[in-house]
């Protein structure tokens, strides 16, 4: 008889939702982890015969699922949560956000905002994010220090900021960050041009060339509002999507964020060229930016991801809330109660978001060989009883406060709601000090 294999960890859960295969719920199974990887997913009895774990975690009334992947964030902006609410996008940006950033933006602001965001994300079941902000070197160092998985955007914008003074400097400093992060186990890089209305044709052409040479994603706000489309028609003679297509950016590396204003031909183009679309439903609702045709994108075969956007416009990093809103709004937009079903929304927030980042072979589902980014959700509260369909319960009933345990790359980051390596009292104190600086500046 073969001797049982020694491994680092076995997680036994009442239910396991692997995401791949789609819509499957397993009962009485275990996920076996060695090092940073999942090595097996099998019935509990078989797991106990085949493996001897150094640690066994028994989750009697929990769902074990892949870590959520937030496909669009501006995490330093957690420090601007609630700064300017109930305003349309351009007034919000020009009259409040950009002036506040001009006063306080710097390495310390970025570090403290990201640390606050990491704590919030872990407690909400998010194990990876796609970042779009300034000082990517500080971002990367902060995420790495806390063992959090992140795609760090290399910002490009035409006006000067404390990070860079000119387009050339944005590129030079961004490429230096990319070189420093080559081969990092947790941190990747993308190009992050802000938006068509803040980036020139010359910069977009340079990004297209470098993205192709370096095989880097391009993380771009696109077709966020009707005004953006109208302004592009006035200034460039074409819609923003057509403009960036002409400049060579419509391909499988494009992470198109918002996409609330789409024609049928643009949806078909996204499918044909492998574009990923990030749905940010709550931010879009709050800023009245428009409604992404998420179900139409899925039906066309477009990879759909989910993001929260930044805390200054959402105002949280709660992907459980985002999934529920996406499912409900998606039905109204499609005029179909079956649209954006629970399993499809969960897939978008896990494997769909992972694929958008180019990391679908690494995270987003519970499969042997993938990284052990895992989340346990308690479903024994009276508010989640009775349970008929587990995935529906996760989307329509459960909340982030029911996340009990989180692992990233096999390392436990949350245990029975307790954070590892983050001092919550200190995070709150620093956030309050930043509020005083921003309000008093």
């Amino acid at each position: 008889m073969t001797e049982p294999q020694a491994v680092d960890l076995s997680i036994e859960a009442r239910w396991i939702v692997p995401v791949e295969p789609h819509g499957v719920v397993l009962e009485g199974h275990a996920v076996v982890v060695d090092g940073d990887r999942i090595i097996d997913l099998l019935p509990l009895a078989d797991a106990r015969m085949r493996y001897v774990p150094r640690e066994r975690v028994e989750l009697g009334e929990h769902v074990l699922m892949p870590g959520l992947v937030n496909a669009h964030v501006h995490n330093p902006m957690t420090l601007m949560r609630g700064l300017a609410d109930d305003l349309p996008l351009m007034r919000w940006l020009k009259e409040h956000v950009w002036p506040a950033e001009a006063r306080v933006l710097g390495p310390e602001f970025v570090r403290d905002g990201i640390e606050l965001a990491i704590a919030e994300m872990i407690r909400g079941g998010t194990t990876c994010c796609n970042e779009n902000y300034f000082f990517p070197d500080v971002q990367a160092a902060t995420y790495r220090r806390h063992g959090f998985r992140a795609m760090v955007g290399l910002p490009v914008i035409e006006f000067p900021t404390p990070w860079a003074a000119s387009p050339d400097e944005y590129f030079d400093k961004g490429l230096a960050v990319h070189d420093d992060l080559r081969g990092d186990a947790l941190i990747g890089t993308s190009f992050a041009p802000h938006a068509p209305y803040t980036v020139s044709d010359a910069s977009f052409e340079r990004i297209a060339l470098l993205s192709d040479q370096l095989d880097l994603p391009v993380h771009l706000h696109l077709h966020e509002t009707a005004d953006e489309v109208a302004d592009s028609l006035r200034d460039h003679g074409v819609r923003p999507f057509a403009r960036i297509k002409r400049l060579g950016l419509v391909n499988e590396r494009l992470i198109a964020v918002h996409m609330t204003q789409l024609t049928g031909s643009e949806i078909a183009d996204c499918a044909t060229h492998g574009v990923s679309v990030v749905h940010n439903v709550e931010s879009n609702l709050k800023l009245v930016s428009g409604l992404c045709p998420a179900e139409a994108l899925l039906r066309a075969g477009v990879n759909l991801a989910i993001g929260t956007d930044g805390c200054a416009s959402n105002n949280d990093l709660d992907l459980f809330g985002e999934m529920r809103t996406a499912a409900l709004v998606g039905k109204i937009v499609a005029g179909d109660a079956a649209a954006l079903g629970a399993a499809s929304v969960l897939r978008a927030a896990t494997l769909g978001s992972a694929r958008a980042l180019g990391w679908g072979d690494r995270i987003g589902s519970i499969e042997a060989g993938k990284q052990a980014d895992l989340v346990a959700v308690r479903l024994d509260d009276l508010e989640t009883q009775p349970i008929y369909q587990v995935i529906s319960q996760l989307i329509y009933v459960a909340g982030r406060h029911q996340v009990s345990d989180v692992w990233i790359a096999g390392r436990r980051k949350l245990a029975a709601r307790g954070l590892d390596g983050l001092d919550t009292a200190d995070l709150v104190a620093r956030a309050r000090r930043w509020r005083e600086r921003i309000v008093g500046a």
Side-chain angles (χ1 to χ4, degrees), residues 5 13 21 25 37 41 52 78 116 120 158 206 221 264 294 310 322 339 347 349 358 374 387 399 432 434:
Q5 180 181 343
V25 179
R37 295 190 178 275
L41 168 59
V52 178
T78 52
L116 181 62
E120 180 178 353
E158 297 303 317
R206 191 171 177 184
H221 301 89
E322 202 78 27
R347 187 181 186 87
L374 303 164
I387 299 169
R432 288 172 175 167
W434 279 108

Side-chain angles (χ1 to χ4, degrees), residues 40-91:
D40 215 340
L41 168 59
L42 71 172
L44 179 55
D46 294 341
R48 290 192 170 181
M49 284 193 302
R50 296 183 193 178
Y51 299 100
V52 178
R54 296 174 184 86
E55 180 185 9
R56 176 179 285 113
V57 177
E58 298 180 26
L59 302 170
E61 295 296 329
H62 298 66
V63 179
L64 189 68
M65 54 181 265
L68 297 169
V69 179
N70 195 333
H72 178 62
V73 296
H74 309 284
N75 275 338
M77 297 177 82
T78 52
L79 296 173
M80 295 183 180
R81 191 195 316 266
L83 173 66
D85 289 331
D86 306 323
L87 295 170
L89 174 64
M90 295 317 295
R91 277 192 61 198

Side-chain angles (χ1 to χ4, degrees), residues 75-262:
N75 275 338
M77 297 177 82
T78 52
L79 296 173
M80 295 183 180
R81 191 195 316 266
L83 173 66
D85 289 331
D86 306 323
L87 295 170
L89 174 64
M90 295 317 295
R91 277 192 61 198
W92 173 80
L93 274 175
K94 291 179 178 179
E95 297 178 18
H96 298 276
V97 171
W98 286 344
E101 286 178 328
R103 294 193 299 266
V104 300
L105 180 58
E108 295 81 10
F109 177 85
V110 170
R111 180 201 64 208
D112 288 356
I114 285 178
E115 288 190 341
L116 181 62
I118 289 171
E120 180 178 353
M121 288 189 293
I122 290 173
R123 296 212 305 184
T126 296
T127 57
C128 175
C129 68
N130 187 29
E131 182 66 80
N132 188 316
Y133 207 67
F134 304 103
F135 292 92
D137 54 342
V138 178
Q139 294 175 38
T142 307
Y143 285 119
R144 184 194 288 120
R145 185 166 63 253
H146 292 287
F148 193 92
R149 195 181 305 278
M151 178 75 76
V152 171
L154 310 175
V156 178
I157 198 165
E158 297 303 317
F159 53 76
T161 67
W163 167 246
S166 67
D168 283 344
E169 189 175 5
Y170 281 105
F171 281 101
D172 291 346
K173 294 180 77 171
L175 290 170
V177 171
H178 167 72
D179 287 342
D180 287 345
L181 293 172
R182 286 180 187 272
D184 194 285
L186 286 175
I187 313 299
T189 54
S190 69
F191 283 107
H194 174 256
Y197 54 88
T198 54
V199 178
S200 68
D201 281 6
S203 291
F204 274 134
E205 288 174 338
R206 191 171 177 184
I207 289 167
L209 178 64
L210 289 167
S211 170
D212 183 54
Q213 290 176 344
L214 301 172
D215 193 24
L216 288 186
V218 177
H219 180 185
L220 173 68
H221 301 89
L222 185 63
H223 281 222
E224 184 171 0
T225 66
D227 285 347
E228 175 195 330
V229 176
D231 289 348
S232 181
L233 286 167
R234 181 195 65 213
D235 297 338
H236 301 281
V238 293
R239 290 162 64 87
F241 187 85
R243 177 178 162 223
I244 67 159
K245 183 179 180 184
R246 182 180 66 204
L247 296 170
L249 287 160
V250 174
N251 55 44
E252 71 282 356
R253 290 183 295 276
L254 179 61
I255 306 169
V257 181
H258 296 296
M259 298 289 267
T260 69
Q261 316 289 319
L262 290 175

Side-chain angles (χ1 to χ4, degrees), residues 406-422:
V406 171
W407 292 262
I408 299 176
R411 300 192 66 174
R412 204 169 190 173
K413 297 296 179 180
L414 188 74
R417 295 294 294 164
L419 284 164
D420 177 63
L422 286 159

Side-chain angles (χ1 to χ4, degrees), residues 291-305:
L291 298 170
C292 174
E295 179 67 14
L297 288 161
L298 281 177
R299 288 177 181 173
V302 176
N303 180 54
L304 185 70

